[in-house]
Amino acid sequence: MSEPRLTVRAVRARAVEVPLKLPLGTSAGTLRSAPLLLVDVDTEEGVTGHSYLFCYLPAAASAIAAMLGEVERTVKGDRVSPSELWSKLARRFKLIGVQGIVRMAMAGFDVACWDALALAAGKPLVALLGAERRPIPAYNSNGLGLMAPEAAADEAEKLLERGFRAVKLRLGHPTPAADLAAVRAVRKRLPDSVELMVDYNQALTFIQALERGRALDSEGVAWIEEPIRHDDFRNCAELAATLATPIQIGENFSLPEQMGEAILARACDFVMPDLERIGGVSGWQRAAALAASSELPMSSHLFPETSAHLLAVTPTRHFLEYVDWADAILAEPLAIEDGAAVIPDRPGTGVSWNEKAVERYRMA
């Protein structure tokens, strides 16, 4: 791949908080809005790359923005070569550690750099990475949080609009019976052809996960996501070996190295890296190679706009996790047709800002 020659001029960050159309109740708390940090990388050649980060907490946005300021000070004037820039920044942050908000800042910068390169080349990112645009099967991950069984069933039906053939339900109710009731209510309401994933958001102990997992084995669930602490690979491996339902982990993998550790431990049946935790586009490429070498189906976590491009070049691609959280501030939101993400036929990742909406939702 021949990358266009661009030079980093500035790195800018703006925080917004966008209300969710469907509140998301998880075992870790209820999410009613999405705090996002919009990242722009300006180049001397006049091309600006875009990306955004999900901050989880509004208070984290300013901290990540501060790290992006250090990123700018470190790489200003350098050529936009993502692998070289990542290595330089990793050296700069070695003592504090490429973790947490440091890693998120580096990942957001990396994605924006790749976007700038694709824009300069006049190609969609997927083409710059050497593949063709294709529909990417998606599951609807909006809403469907912890709620009464019939309410969950009602919401699940609504999530089938635009042809989705897979949805995800959050679990972690106080009792196994309550989890089972929610699954059965949703499963009964969905067509047999629609897949149902469930996500515990690390709510259970190993013993609880074993009990509830065995109960779910006969309920037609496509995967059980993060039933226990995300980095407890030994017990994750025990669950994967014992339960008939596949175990899915990966949104919390910290860089490809930790994903490699999970694979060596046989901690899961499926993997789903997160763009801002795995290390942006550069980290994703390394993670995809690991998944391919182990023949593990690989899905995405959040960031559907860029993840669609990346799944198109992932040999073991599985599902795109679709959320519409950024739609309100995007000039052209990601399209879904017949349950699949449509990679836009325009240069870059397709991410650009609706500036009026950005000002409306901008954090003070």
Side-chain angles (χ1 to χ4, degrees), residues 154-349:
D154 291 342
E155 192 159 285
E157 281 191 319
K158 295 176 184 176
L159 295 182
L160 299 182
E161 294 175 3
R162 290 188 285 174
F164 281 102
R165 290 186 289 275
V167 299
K168 187 162 79 178
L169 171 68
R170 277 70 182 182
L171 295 180
H173 291 276
T175 67
D179 275 349
L180 208 55
V183 169
R184 287 175 174 172
V186 171
R187 184 70 272 175
K188 183 178 179 180
R189 197 78 66 85
L190 296 176
D192 291 342
S193 59
V194 173
E195 295 203 61
L196 175 63
M197 297 79 169
V198 300
D199 186 357
Y200 276 97
N201 296 105
Q202 309 178 68
L204 307 177
T205 66
F206 171 71
I207 297 301
Q208 290 171 331
L210 203 56
E211 177 189 10
R212 298 192 192 200
R214 283 171 173 155
L216 291 172
D217 274 346
S218 58
E219 299 299 326
V221 170
W223 74 52
I224 300 171
E225 186 176 331
E226 284 199 334
I228 62 175
R229 202 185 73 224
H230 71 88
D231 57 353
D232 184 357
F233 295 153
R234 181 176 65 84
N235 279 323
C236 282
E238 185 67 21
L239 291 172
T242 303
L243 300 178
T245 308
I247 297 298
Q248 170 77 278
I249 65 173
E251 70 181 72
N252 283 293
F253 286 153
S254 181
L255 305 177
E257 289 78 8
Q258 191 178 47
M259 178 168 153
E261 293 170 7
I263 291 173
L264 286 174
R266 300 187 178 183
C268 54
D269 301 288
F270 303 150
V271 290
M272 54 180 307
D274 173 280
L275 199 59
E276 71 182 13
R277 287 175 166 148
I278 204 67
V281 174
S282 300
W284 180 285
Q285 291 177 297
R286 294 167 54 207
L290 288 173
S293 66
S294 303
E295 299 182 341
L296 280 178
M298 180 160 150
S299 297
S300 63
H301 179 254
L302 305 183
F303 311 103
E305 300 82 12
T306 301
S307 296
H309 291 262
L310 298 177
L311 281 168
V313 299
T314 298
T316 59
R317 64 182 162 273
H318 196 193
F319 273 102
L320 176 93
E321 180 176 36
Y322 175 74
V323 292
D324 60 7
W325 300 353
D327 281 11
I329 49 87
L330 294 177
E332 296 181 72
L334 180 68
I336 300 290
E337 294 180 4
D338 196 26
V342 180
I343 299 173
D345 188 15
R346 57 182 183 269
T349 62

